């Protein structure tokens, strides 16, 4: 939520298409790295400036250019001019409060989505925005901060016999999307464990109030759901629409990816049901604890209040109370008291309160 | 709600198309201002009468005429005759209880929507109705009261190098719509803060009953949702339908605006979920407080009622109570009492009530 | 609901198309009145028999024939024969348990809907069924009882300069529908006030159990919703389908009417949300009251039960209780008691129970 | 539910299309009766064997053959061979756990639905499966047990002037469907009364726990809903699809029947809302009763615990308690006690607990 | 859920299409068995290697090859090469965390679904993944572990006169699907009994907290629902799309199967409603028990607290208490006490608390 708010505060009133980086302002430099490959050749270089990108477009190899760091607005402005990118796209790349979407332009596709990771310390989800510009033989990816989920893709690129080296830019796109969705499963795993932990503590340490915890997890689930929900139509469009860039062979893989995305959504829905079950169990626990407390109170009161009365009777100072002077009276009194107590205990035993 | 009620009371039974201003009757004059511009020229004038509008229609520049104040029914009637506007449109412009909508007429588009602001004193949303009549090279906007969210648009108009000066009346329309939707984000910011405040006071000052507060915020959210919900199809129609007036270039911008509107709706849905979570937490808090109260009662009762009984026993006046005459009896009695109290405390400690 | 039950009891097993009046059997006569008009002429007459209707069909003026009272089955049977109306239509007109619908026949349209009014004494909604048969230049309306919402339409008919005199039978139909929908707003006003009253009494006189009241209002809202919900597609069909009878000019007005109907439904949905909010507040109030009660109990118990114990101690009859014979003991006892009380009060003050 | 379970136990693993009667095994014989009619002639006969059906197919009159009793699997197998009925249809006819459906075959339509009746003793719904095979001039109906809702249809058949004698097998089908749907209204009447009774007992005898009752009615409503919900598309298909067998004249009647079915569903939805309202009221009643109980307890405790303390004070045996020896002390004590009691009562009066 | 987690842990980062068995690693060998049949011949053989499958493809009989055990990745890799199966299909066959789906390839259909069984000891559902590869005259099925629901299909295959021997591979497919869906009914039976048991224990042994039990059953129902929900479109596609492989005759049977699947879903929905009814009843039971406890407490307190006060009065040591010295006083005191008790009992009797 906080990012949208930041956006609104910063953007409000700017001309549309004005470039403005919205997100955490990292001081690290902008990194540009490139993979340039076909079945035979693999060239892995770090680029110095946006101008170094241009040669890749005229080459007949496939190129993946990865740009990390979004704060250098100047660079993106020049890049936009070089590649003739629409200002609205640049605006979206820099504004990290966007929801997943795909825009189709004449010369390229634009895809924007969320890379998700689990912050083990804060026990909550971290979102990072990733966007892709897909040209005929070139894919440019944009990330906010260093560290991503693409290392396995890079390893496969370096392996000469891998499918990725044989196929074109569309399979590269699929591999990157696949790496991101794979990571969603990792997140589901963490969320699932979190839910199981909460279930356990509901049963084992019922006194602790874990409702706030439950709702924070619920909010994480909803955020993940929103992100995945918007991702699904993007992937569907990719393999259903008739893009020149997507070959039928890769289309199959994208359909498979779509199935995975659906599975993420299914699991999220299941988690939501589980969470609302936890809330019900919590409510029921609270009520049961109340019942427990009231039973203790009632048992104490029901046993000792009559006894206190009986003791009170013989504490009265009436002149003429014949029982008081009998020798056996005190013993009898105790017997009666014990009888009352016993019958009370049997009564509560029968009611299954003990 | 109150406006609809007012409407119904005033309108009920009038012939359809009868002009009637429905809204707060301001005594201020009706203001007509105009921007007349193209890439080279900018002319900013205040007009005296509705007749001064006519020349703009035959000019080849783009014109934005803004009319503030809806109470002068006479003026609108004349304007309607001059521009051949359908009586139902005039009726809608003046009736500020309408929901966002778009009507397509032969000579112009008619768009009606809500400008929203946050009343910091009443801590609630204020709605103001804005309508647009879009002709080939001329846009007329109608507002209820002075003060709007369009100042940034005016500034951009005055800047010779801005995109707005280069493009036509469709980009002007987009800019105005964009300014309004931008303001929705500002509102979401305020609502989000309000919700966070309520969350804090739920945790920190649980005694205060904030349910009424929660429901008033929920009502605000629902009102905002209704307004945005109806706004979305209006914008979708604008860029999807084949209007001569909307150029493909501006169409891109409108699609971007549509994405923003979707984001507003997404955020509203999230807020709704948060609100219903707050209600659950509130309920759970009430139950927990009850448990707390009952525990205090039960602990006091369970400790002192048995003790009182034991005290009552030795307050009895039986003649033959051997313990009474023993010298050590009183001390023993105290020891027993302390023992009872201690075992009670251990019992409650084990039950984690202490 | 009761009408449907009546229907089922009376109709069950009758041949379809058998004429049977279902509704309250009024003893008043059946009234037939007519308006016969064009731009120049207006003729307002009461008719004696169904045969008097026939001349209107061959005239080139527009005619509105209004029939009040549905119990004279004989008359409707004759009317059906005269005008060649399908028996199912006649059955629907007389059976006042129908839901709003439109049927298209070769020679005429059939529209059936509900006129709604607010019974101020019973504080609930009254439904009256109205049906329209629309021929090329003639509209016949059927009502159950005297008194309707059409008086404003009649006044406009009598005004020579009104739009209604200039346009055809389609605008007459629109005017009548508009009058009915206008009345829905009046009802919403009453329901809205009812809800506000309930909200007030929830806050001000929380002891009164207003849940039954809330649910009766909810039932009214649901009934109104059902009626409006079915009315909407009828109006949509009217202006979207290509009926010869509906001119484009009137189509505009019908679209406007459709907007109003949508607004009624929107408001109803808002009311439903408000109502369910009221139920939550009621539940929370009950819980809060319980908390209040328990606090009072706990405070009394926690203060006086220990004091009673302390008093009980010195009511014991042990021979050797050194305190008893000290002169200052009684005073000290009182001081201790006051101390206990004070510390309890501070404890509860800290817990914010006081 | 129980029937589906029976089905599963009996059928599981049988080859599809194997004939097996699933339902209560009645020992009564299978009855075959026939109506054979046109405008002039009516012939009503009981048939001895399935072979007697064949002549009707070559006659130019309309025939209705009704078969009651589904346990004689042999007979249905022969019938299937004679009329060339698909094994899956025969399986469906005999398996009384089916949901309403329509299947279209080359030579005939197959319609299966539920006849519903109200068991006044068990206060719940009884379902009986009815299926129709509609040939060009012949309709065969299948019922489980004797007794149906078709007697009125039979009476109309015997009446020479009725519409049913004039029209074909499609109107016969409509009449039978109409008789069944008419009976649904009767059921709604009983359910409605049941709900009103529960509402009354909620208000008048709040102690009785009627929740189980509410949920049993809710289950009835859901069963009825499921049945009607599946019936609706069957009827819709009948009049919307282009069946040779359905004439336009009868199509009108089917559309009317469709309206009735919608009304049944509407009413069921209303009942569902009412039922969930009852659950809320029940919950609120339980809470209110708890409040009532706690008030009684608190009032007793708050009045008598302080008094007991005051009595305890003067039961102490301190040597020096100056009050004890004053003559007026006892009277003053009583006055103080009454004062305490009175102020408590005023306090509770103010809190509106009395 | 656990399987998806396993998947994610194992798969994450692998190249798409990499074969990896995900599921419980059984040490049993992989079994390959085959049925090879037409109307005249039936040949039932156990195969030794994947190469033995090839001859079946060139034969003009129908073949069903069943492969049990998914851990031998090597075998599947070779099988994929032999039959030219897409790597993504092989990946899906081995990854037992998939949801039901159908993929259409040029040479074959691929169907994946869940075989469900009821684990009577764990009282929960076991899922086993089954996949089908359907070629023109050959069907290959893949199962995880030994033991399936297909024995009845095998018996029918061995019966020379059965329909399955007469028809092609499409009817074989239908028979296998039908056997699986039949088994779903068996599961519903067990779940239904489980729900009824829980209902009984809610009524008969209300003290036991069965909420955890309810939620575990609910989770089973949701899992079953997800599986069936995804199965439905698979079957719908089979008979609606125009597959060369599916003959019209078998299409009828598939439509019937679809009806059964819908019935499973209907029953599941009913069970869900029942479950949520159980939760409400459980909540109401807890509240009622609380009411019961509070009544016991209040009755004891209300009877004995006043009595104890009255006893306390005459335990006071005032010098001048005239009643104390009256002979009749003690008897009167007892009479008053009994009177108080009796009136209390009548009061509670009237309130229906006894």
């Amino acid at each position: 939520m906080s990012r949208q708010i930041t956006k609104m505060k910063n953007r409000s009133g700017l001309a549309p298409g004005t470039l403005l980086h919205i997100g955490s302002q990292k001081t690290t430099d902008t990194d540009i790295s490139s993979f340039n490959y076909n079945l035979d050749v693999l060239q892995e270089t770090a680029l110095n400036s946006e101008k170094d990108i241009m040669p890749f477009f005229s080459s007949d190899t496939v190129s993946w250019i990865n740009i990390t760091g979004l704060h250098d607005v100047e660079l993106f402005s020049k890049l936009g001019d070089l590649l003739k990118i629409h200002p609205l796209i640049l605006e979206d790349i820099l504004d990290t409060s966007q929801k997943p979407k795909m825009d189709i332009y004449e010369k390229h596709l634009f895809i924007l989505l969320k890379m998700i990771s689990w912050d083990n310390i804060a026990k909550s989800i971290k979102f990072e925005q990733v966007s892709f510009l897909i040209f005929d033989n070139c894919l440019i990816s944009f990330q906010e901060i260093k560290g991503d989920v693409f290392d396995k893709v890079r390893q496969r690129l370096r392996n000469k016999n891998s499918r990725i080296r044989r196929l074109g830019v569309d399979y590269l796109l699929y591999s990157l999307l696949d790496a991101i969705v794979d990571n969603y499963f990792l997140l589901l795993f963490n969320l699932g464990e979190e839910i199981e932990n909460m279930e356990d503590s509901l049963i084992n340490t019922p006194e602790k109030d874990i409702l706030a915890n439950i709702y924070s997890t619920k909010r994480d689930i909803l955020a993940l759901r929103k992100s995945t929900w918007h991702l699904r139509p993007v992937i569907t469009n990719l393999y259903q629409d008739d893009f020149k860039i997507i070959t039928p062979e890769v289309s199959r893989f994208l359909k498979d990816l779509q199935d995975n995305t659906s599975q993420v959504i299914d699991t999220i829905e299941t988690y939501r049901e589980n969470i609302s079950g936890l809330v019900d169990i919590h409510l029921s626990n609270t009520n049961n604890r109340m019942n427990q407390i009231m039973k203790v109170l009632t048992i104490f009161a029901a046993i000792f209040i009559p006894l206190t009365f009986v003791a009170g009777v013989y504490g009265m100072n009436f002149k003429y109370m014949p029982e008081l002077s009998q020798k056996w009276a005190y013993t009898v009194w105790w017997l009666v008291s014990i009888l009352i107590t016993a019958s009370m205990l049997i009564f509560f035993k029968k009611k299954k309160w003990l």
Side-chain angles (χ1 to χ4, degrees), chain A:
Chain A
M1 216 50 31
S2 57
R3 274 196 178 168
Q4 276 167 344
I5 292 165
T6 319
K7 176 192 177 182
M8 172 268 318
K9 290 224 130 175
N10 290 325
R11 272 220 77 80
S12 190
L14 283 186
T18 310
L19 291 195
L20 180 69
H21 172 47
I22 293 166
S24 31
Q25 301 279 352
K26 294 272 161 184
T27 51
T28 52
D29 289 338
T30 302
D31 269 358
I32 311 180
S33 70
S34 75
F35 276 81
N36 191 259
Y37 65 92
N38 60 18
L39 202 50
D40 304 312
V41 190
L42 174 74
Q43 194 183 337
E44 208 176 332
T45 36
L47 308 183
N48 295 320
S49 108
E50 74 286 351
K51 281 171 206 148
D52 300 344
I53 293 174
M54 293 316 290
F56 295 122
F57 282 84
S58 46
S59 140
D60 59 350
T61 53
V62 179
S63 303
W64 170 28
I65 294 124
N66 183 47
I67 301 178
T68 304
L70 302 179
H71 58 280
D72 186 353
V73 173
E74 189 66 21
L75 183 145
F76 287 94
S77 170
K78 285 190 228 151
L79 191 70
D81 289 346
L82 273 174
L83 300 177
K84 298 197 178 60
I85 304 171
H86 196 283
L88 283 172
I89 290 188
L90 288 173
E91 193 189 333
D92 285 348
I93 290 171
L94 297 183
D95 169 4
T96 60
S97 68
Q98 294 292 311
K99 69 175 182 17
K101 65 173 180 180
M102 176 171 73
D103 281 331
I104 305 155
Y105 284 78
E106 221 177 313
K107 296 265 180 190
H108 55 261
L109 287 177
F110 173 62
I111 292 174
L112 183 151
L113 66 172
K114 298 289 174 188
M115 194 149 70
I116 303 184
S117 57
W118 177 250
D119 187 336
N120 228 321
I121 293 145
K123 294 268 176 216
S124 68
I125 300 177
K126 274 190 310 187
F127 289 87
E128 185 188 343
Q129 183 162 305
V130 183
S131 18
F132 299 116
L133 269 177
I134 305 105
F135 296 86
D136 278 354
N137 68 338
C138 196
L139 184 151
I140 312 181
S141 57
F142 302 88
Q143 306 180 35
E144 288 180 67
I145 49 172
K146 281 190 189 182
D148 55 33
V149 298
F150 299 145
D151 280 342
K152 309 263 175 160
V153 179
R154 292 193 185 90
Q155 279 170 27
R156 265 178 262 147
L157 275 173
R158 289 171 194 134
N159 174 359
K160 211 187 150 172
N161 301 315
S162 66
R163 191 183 290 119
I164 199 168
R165 288 281 291 276
R166 183 165 53 77
L167 296 171
V169 76
D170 51 348
Y171 192 81
L172 175 65
L173 171 66
Y174 159 72
S175 301
L176 296 171
L177 293 175
D178 189 55
I180 287 168
V181 172
D182 256 21
N183 211 44
Y184 281 35
F185 278 99
L186 201 65
L187 197 75
L188 286 179
F189 172 68
N190 289 304
L191 278 173
E193 274 197 333
E194 191 72 357
I195 290 172
E196 270 177 37
N197 287 343
M198 290 190 298
E199 216 171 326
D200 285 357
S201 54
L202 264 183
I203 291 160
N204 299 324
T205 57
E207 284 294 311
K208 227 177 94 201
D209 192 352
I210 64 159
L211 203 64
N213 206 349
I214 288 175
Y215 277 101
S216 124
T217 304
K218 193 179 173 186
R219 229 169 291 154
D220 272 354
I221 288 173
L222 288 177
L224 183 56
R225 181 173 175 270
K226 214 165 77 174
S227 186
T228 321
W229 199 260
H230 290 299
L231 177 58
R232 194 156 61 164
V234 169
I235 299 177
T236 310
N237 278 353
L238 268 182
Y239 77 84
Q240 281 188 346
D241 287 13
D242 207 21
F243 294 124
K244 185 185 64 189
I245 246 166
I246 309 290
T247 55
E249 187 169 1
V250 172
S251 191
R252 281 259 171 236
F253 287 94
L254 286 167
K255 191 176 172 314
D256 192 69
L257 182 61
Q258 171 73 345
D259 286 349
N260 287 344
T261 318
S262 299
Q263 217 167 352
V264 172
I265 289 172
D266 274 12
T267 310
I268 288 170
E269 296 303 323
T270 308
Y271 282 0
R272 285 183 76 185
E273 297 255 9
N274 290 353
I275 285 275
S276 76
L278 288 184
V279 174
D280 283 5
I281 290 177
H282 173 81
L283 188 69
S284 165
N285 275 348
T286 314
N287 282 340
N288 281 336
R289 249 163 25 228
M290 178 73 97
N291 271 355
Q292 221 54 44
I293 294 169
M294 294 310 301
K295 273 183 201 165
V296 169
L297 174 59
T298 303
I299 290 167
F300 271 100
I303 290 173
F304 286 104
I305 289 182
L307 290 181
T308 305
F309 164 68
V310 179
V313 167
Y314 295 103
M316 293 195 294
N317 299 316
F318 286 113
K319 282 261 159 65
Y320 306 94
M321 292 175 71
E323 301 99 319
L324 290 180
S325 43
Q326 308 299 331
K327 218 173 177 174
W328 44 262
Y330 184 50
T331 319
V332 166
W333 185 91
W334 269 116
L335 291 176
V336 167
S337 292
I338 289 166
L339 197 76
I340 289 174
T341 310
S343 58
M344 278 299 157
L345 289 174
I346 289 166
F347 172 74
F348 289 124
K349 195 83 187 172
K350 267 208 180 142
K351 271 192 170 288
K352 287 182 185 158
W353 292 10
L354 283 175

